[in-house]
Amino acid sequence: QVKLVESGGGLVQAGGSLRLSCAASGSIFRINDMGWYRQAPGKQRELVATITSGGITIYGDSVKGRFTISRDNAKNTVYLQMNSLKPEDTAVYVCTARVSVTGDYWGQGTQVTVSS
């Protein structure tokens, strides 16, 4: 079993920054892709960013140029640096990891609230 634990969410004013972290633990042979999705009330889940084990990144259009995803493979941890935050970034941010052999895992989520 693999467990993902997110941290770093909170309340921030528009224009501010937050850094999210997600650490994976458990029976991990190899983590391939890691990433972040978000879901706001009444909206569909949305891709924020993903990163491969080799560092190739993909960003959702709404966060390009403002958010940066990175990872520490030795620590099985993925980060999301969020700058120039907007009220529309308010959502629950959920970490995901694709683990070899065992499949896809999701965290519980961390709330990010951006006030105007």
Side-chain angles (χ1 to χ4, degrees), residues 62-78:
S62 61
V63 307
K64 285 180 181 176
R66 300 187 297 122
F67 291 9
T68 302
I69 190 170
S70 60
R71 64 188 282 177
D72 184 331
N73 291 329
K75 295 181 179 179
N76 290 327
T77 299
V78 63

Side-chain angles (χ1 to χ4, degrees), residues 28-103:
I28 300 171
F29 171 64
R30 173 186 168 86
I31 299 179
N32 296 318
D33 298 349
M34 299 187 80
W36 295 90
Y37 286 75
R38 68 186 182 186
Q39 187 160 19
K43 295 186 177 181
Q44 288 188 328
R45 187 169 61 192
E46 176 187 19
L47 168 70
V48 178
T50 62
I51 184 168
T52 68
S53 59
I56 298 173
T57 58
I58 296 174
Y59 292 93
D61 288 342
S62 61
V63 307
K64 285 180 181 176
R66 300 187 297 122
F67 291 9
T68 302
I69 190 170
S70 60
R71 64 188 282 177
D72 184 331
N73 291 329
K75 295 181 179 179
N76 290 327
T77 299
V78 63
Y79 306 96
L80 185 68
Q81 178 66 42
M82 305 185 293
N83 298 328
S84 301
L85 283 160
K86 305 175 182 180
E88 51 264 43
D89 294 318
T90 296
V92 174
Y93 285 69
V94 182
C95 172
T96 182
R98 176 158 291 177
V99 180
S100 292
V101 178
T102 56

